[in-house]
Amino acid sequence: MIKKIIFSVISLLLGLVFIFSGLTKLYPIELFELTFIDIGVANWQTAPIISRLFIGIEFFLGVMLVFNIRLRKFTLKATIALLAVFTIYLFIQMYFEGNKGNCKCFGNYLVMTPLESIFKNLGMIAVAVLLLLIKHDLKYRFQKLLMILGIVASLSLPFILNPPDFIAAYQSQEETIGYKLELDTLYTSTDLKKPEVDLRKGKHIIAFMSLTCKHCRVAAYKIHIINKQNPEIPFYFVLNGNEKNLVPFFDDTKTENIPYMMLLGERFVSLAGYNMPAIMFVNNSVVEQKENYISLNYDSVIEWLNKN
């Protein structure tokens, strides 16, 4: 009886970790979506689908573990395989980018570095192996039916809780455009570090962002991916906030190579407005297009740059 209780409690806790991991990735899900584009296994159209399917798999394994369904025949082996894949990816990420930023294993709710997440995964693998060695499995009637219902419900749930917004993702925010952006203040104010490039001339995509805004970080991570696909795109950051948050911001969004300046107080609001992030497509100081953290994508950028 004691062995049965211990087995069930450990399996329950392991399952709850998977369910919690899936839920925290859903809000905001954009960070998890962008990871698949960043590593090259999805594009802007398929990432919303693939990311939700992965979360659905986490939900499915979590439910199977919580209710002790086909543990030794399927669930524990699948759990170890999934954790092994995540761990290999984290090792590759650390090799190329170092142990910095948020691995996004728990979205923005619980920030973990790749190394911390590797230790977490190895611990969970050890627990799953221990459960396999205990050789105890609860017996259910209709296990096959429960398994089928579980996978259908789990894979559907992410699409129900946070459905992909394909319309918003390709819809420019066209309100209040066609006006001149008063950029002279960035060059005439003696207390500011002036931009090295003249943003008043030619085409530039100027992203006004707060260092602590979660939606700004989603937009910045998108800009990292777009810049990675085409380094010639003229992005520029105008950032607001405490400078101590600069390093976490750049580590999380991988945008250390994007030129930026700090702008605080009323001067920032007078240019950016109150809705963050404000991503403005500027041509000779005229705002021709605006995007938000959802609608910004590679195609919209290239289409605007190619306009005469």
Side-chain angles (χ1 to χ4, degrees), residues 118-249:
I118 286 171
F119 283 124
K120 182 264 296 179
N121 288 350
L122 292 177
M124 292 176 68
I125 289 173
V127 170
V129 170
L130 176 64
L131 291 176
L132 272 175
L133 294 176
I134 291 175
K135 296 182 179 178
H136 177 81
D137 210 349
L138 297 181
K139 301 298 182 182
Y140 275 91
R141 295 183 64 187
F142 311 114
Q143 282 205 25
K144 189 174 289 187
L145 177 60
L146 290 172
M147 191 173 176
I148 294 171
L149 291 175
I151 195 167
V152 171
S154 298
L155 293 179
S156 302
L157 193 60
F159 293 88
I160 296 170
L161 293 177
N162 193 345
D165 197 342
F166 293 110
I167 296 175
Y170 294 94
Q171 202 170 47
S172 297
Q173 305 303 299
E174 297 183 355
E175 71 279 4
T176 321
I177 61 173
Y179 65 92
K180 182 179 179 182
L181 190 64
E182 299 298 334
L183 295 169
D184 287 342
T185 184
L186 304 182
Y187 299 88
T188 58
S189 299
T190 57
D191 61 328
L192 294 177
K193 180 183 177 182
K194 299 177 180 60
E196 295 180 1
V197 62
D198 193 345
L199 300 172
R200 297 166 294 187
K201 298 178 181 178
K203 286 190 171 186
H204 302 275
I205 300 174
I206 307 175
F208 294 88
M209 293 185 284
S210 166
L211 293 174
T212 56
C213 162
K214 63 180 181 180
H215 292 155
C216 295
R217 295 202 177 197
V218 172
Y221 193 31
K222 275 192 174 184
I223 287 171
H224 152 71
I225 294 171
I226 296 170
N227 179 256
K228 186 176 172 182
Q229 294 173 330
N230 189 340
E232 301 302 317
I233 295 174
F235 286 112
Y236 194 87
F237 286 169
V238 179
L239 302 174
N240 178 271
N242 193 317
E243 289 195 22
K244 71 178 183 181
N245 292 316
L246 273 173
V247 172
F249 178 86

Side-chain angles (χ1 to χ4, degrees), residues 33 161 302:
E33 290 177 3
L161 293 177
I302 295 302

